[in-house]
């Protein structure tokens, strides 16, 4: 059986540095932390405290992976998951990956070293082949994000439908030049919304114009940047479907700054139905996601899988989405026509 001395020898670091990494000491560089974790994986080393937990089989702790806590959607998901976990007698720890595949893998070692009983993945930055081996150490439940190759329980929303109803609504308001704005390219959530967006265009004999596609937009600043790019186009869009209320708010704010009327000159649809949508003027049309219900279901499932230890099976639990129509898309002029 490997020891901490073996890890130190393999890495060329001191035993003290290795110990600091194992105990999540804050003053260790990411390079050294990564080096130690890679050596632990190679040697199959499990820290003594984690080994004791492994023998006891239970820590009563669940990890929730999110990409960015400051995103209101994930903030709400964190709060709802913590409340649901507490109701089951579990503690919740939050792992913010910041869209980094390396950080995601590092956090997954919490499951391998048995510092948590299970993991809820609300963010997916790695190919599933890199994450699947961690199932040897405990259950993983996908929540919000999803992966067709993953034979694990998945709690998700019908993102294709969300993209479809948002785009269809814009078309019904008379728009034919519609921009598409999404987040990370790795995300199956973003890819599904784009499928729905394209479906609505196709049904109405409209083509997808790549000039109107704006990717890697996550927050208000990104929304402002997207608007600035849109108005430089020779034939700018008259409507935009975004994958985030934050991005929608940024577009709306920048549009008004440039003298654009919303929705007369530019119609905007957000996604998530966060509080910011009702604070903007005009209020933002958005797609409502039942975050509380999704979080409750994910926790119910992970707790059941922890207790039964039977979790290598694909189970899909899908929640519907709802379009909330507000003033950022409903033109009084069109309504009277």
């Amino acid at each position: 059986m490997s020891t901490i001395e073996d890890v130190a020898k393999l890495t060329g670091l001191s035993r003290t540095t290795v110990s600091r990494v194992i105990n999540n000491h804050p003053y260790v560089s990411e390079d050294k932390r990564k080096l130690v974790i890679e050596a632990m994986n190679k040697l199959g080393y499990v820290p003594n405290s984690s080994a004791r937990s492994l023998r006891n089989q239970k820590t009563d702790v669940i990890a929730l992976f999110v990409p960015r806590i400051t995103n209101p959607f994930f903030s709400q998901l964190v709060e709802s998951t913590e409340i649901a976990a507490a109701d089951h007698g579990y503690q919740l720890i939050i792992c913010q990956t910041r869209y980094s595949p390396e950080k995601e893998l590092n956090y997954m070692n919490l499951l391998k070293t048995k510092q948590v009983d299970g993991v809820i993945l609300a963010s997916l930055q790695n190919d599933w082949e890199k994450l699947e081996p961690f199932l040897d150490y405990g259950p993983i439940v996908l929540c919000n994000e999803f992966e067709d190759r993953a034979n694990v329980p998945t709690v998700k929303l019908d993102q294709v439908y969300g993209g479809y109803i948002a785009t269809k609504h814009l078309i019904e308001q008379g728009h034919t030049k519609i921009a598409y704005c999404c987040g990370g390219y790795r995300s199956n959530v973003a890819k599904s919304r784009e499928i729905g967006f394209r479906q609505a265009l196709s049904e109405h004999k409209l083509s997808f114009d790549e000039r109107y596609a704006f990717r890697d937009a996550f927050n208000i600043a990104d929304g402002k940047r997207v608007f600035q790019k849109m108005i430089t186009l020779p034939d700018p869009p008259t409507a935009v479907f975004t994958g985030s209320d934050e991005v929608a708010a940024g577009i709306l704010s920048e549009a008004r700054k440039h003298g654009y009327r919303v929705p007369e000159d530019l119609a905007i649809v957000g996604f998530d139905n966060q509080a910011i949508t009702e604070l903007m003027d005009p209020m933002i049309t958005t797609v409502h996601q039942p975050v509380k219900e999704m979080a409750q279901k994910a926790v119910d499932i992970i707790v059941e899988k922890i207790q039964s230890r039977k979790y290598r099976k694909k189970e899909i639990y899908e929640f519907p989405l709802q379009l909330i129509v507000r003033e950022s898309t409903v033109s009084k002029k069109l309504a009277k026509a």
Side-chain angles (χ1 to χ4, degrees):
M1 182 179 293
S2 299
T3 66
I4 192 170
E5 285 79 11
D6 295 326
V7 177
K9 184 177 180 180
L10 182 60
T11 60
L13 300 173
S14 68
R15 189 182 188 283
T16 300
T17 299
V18 173
S19 178
R20 285 176 176 172
V21 172
I22 292 170
N23 291 288
N24 294 314
H25 196 282
Y27 303 113
V28 180
S29 71
E30 279 300 316
D31 288 342
K32 289 181 179 178
R33 192 180 301 277
K34 183 178 180 181
L35 188 63
V36 170
I37 290 172
E38 288 176 349
M40 289 169 60
N41 290 338
K42 185 175 181 179
L43 295 170
Y45 172 71
V46 178
N48 288 338
S49 61
S50 297
R52 285 195 296 271
S53 295
L54 186 59
R55 288 194 295 270
N56 293 334
Q57 297 299 317
K58 206 164 184 287
T59 64
D60 293 329
V61 179
I62 298 168
L64 172 64
F65 288 29
V66 297
R68 189 166 62 90
I69 296 174
T70 53
N71 182 317
F73 170 80
F74 290 109
S75 297
Q76 186 179 359
L77 181 66
V78 166
E79 180 181 33
S80 300
T81 304
E82 191 281 328
I83 291 171
D87 288 342
H88 280 283
Y90 281 76
Q91 292 182 330
L92 185 74
I93 64 170
I94 312 305
C95 301
Q96 179 177 245
T97 66
R98 289 184 292 177
Y99 299 100
S100 165
E102 292 78 16
K103 288 181 72 69
E104 182 177 82
L105 287 177
N106 287 345
Y107 281 133
M108 286 302 299
N109 283 291
L110 292 170
L111 187 62
K112 184 173 182 178
T113 57
K114 205 52 183 170
Q115 295 179 64
V116 299
D117 291 334
V119 169
I120 298 175
L121 282 177
S123 175
L124 197 58
Q125 306 305 317
N126 285 278
D127 288 336
W128 182 247
E129 287 77 9
K130 291 185 177 181
L131 298 178
E132 188 173 25
F134 289 96
L135 287 170
D136 291 341
Y137 307 98
I140 298 172
V141 169
L142 295 177
C143 176
N144 184 51
E145 272 293 354
F146 53 92
E147 169 56 65
D148 291 337
R149 295 168 294 176
N151 290 318
V152 297
T154 300
V155 181
K156 67 173 191 172
L157 302 164
D158 191 347
Q159 302 292 351
V160 173
Y161 181 68
Y164 173 81
I165 58 174
T167 310
K168 183 172 182 287
H169 169 68
L170 290 172
I171 294 171
E172 289 173 344
Q173 300 309 305
H175 298 283
T176 58
K177 296 181 293 183
I178 304 172
Y180 172 73
C181 193
C182 71
Y185 70 92
R186 289 190 183 95
S187 170
N188 283 324
V189 169
K191 292 175 183 176
S192 295
R193 290 175 185 172
E194 182 170 330
I195 290 171
F197 176 80
R198 289 173 180 266
Q199 283 182 356
L201 292 180
S202 179
E203 280 188 10
H204 291 81
K205 305 295 189 271
L206 298 174
S207 60
F208 181 88
D209 192 334
E210 192 62 44
R211 294 177 306 159
Y212 295 163
F214 302 91
R215 309 181 193 282
D216 292 322
F218 301 95
N219 52 39
I220 290 174
D222 291 334
K224 292 181 178 181
R225 171 179 55 80
V226 166
F227 177 80
Q228 291 165 2
K229 286 186 176 181
M230 283 197 303
I231 61 176
T232 64
L233 294 172
D235 189 20
T238 62
V240 55
F241 162 56
T242 76
S244 161
D245 289 333
E246 283 187 281
V247 174
I251 292 173
L252 192 155
S253 174
E254 196 70 6
R256 295 199 63 180
K257 179 180 175 181
H258 284 76
Y260 273 62
R261 298 169 301 159
V262 177
E264 289 82 3
D265 299 323
L266 181 68
I268 304 168
V269 177
F271 215 103
D272 293 339
N273 194 25
Q274 297 298 324
I276 194 172
T277 58
E278 296 190 82
L279 297 176
M280 300 299 292
D281 182 21
M283 293 190 290
I284 299 173
T285 293
T286 187
V287 178
H288 173 73
Q289 303 195 93
V291 179
K292 292 181 181 179
E293 294 85 345
M294 183 171 64
Q296 181 68 59
K297 188 65 176 178
V299 172
D300 289 346
I301 293 170
I302 196 76
V303 169
E304 189 274 321
K305 300 307 178 186
I306 289 169
Q307 294 172 349
S308 70
R309 303 184 190 177
K310 297 178 181 179
Y311 48 81
R312 292 176 180 268
K313 180 182 178 182
K314 181 177 290 188
E315 301 172 10
I316 306 296
Y317 304 89
E318 190 169 73
F319 288 81
L321 297 173
Q322 178 186 1
L323 183 69
I324 308 296
V325 178
R326 299 195 180 106
E327 291 83 359
S328 70
T329 58
V330 178
S331 169
K332 294 179 181 178
K333 181 178 178 181
L334 288 173
K336 292 179 180 179

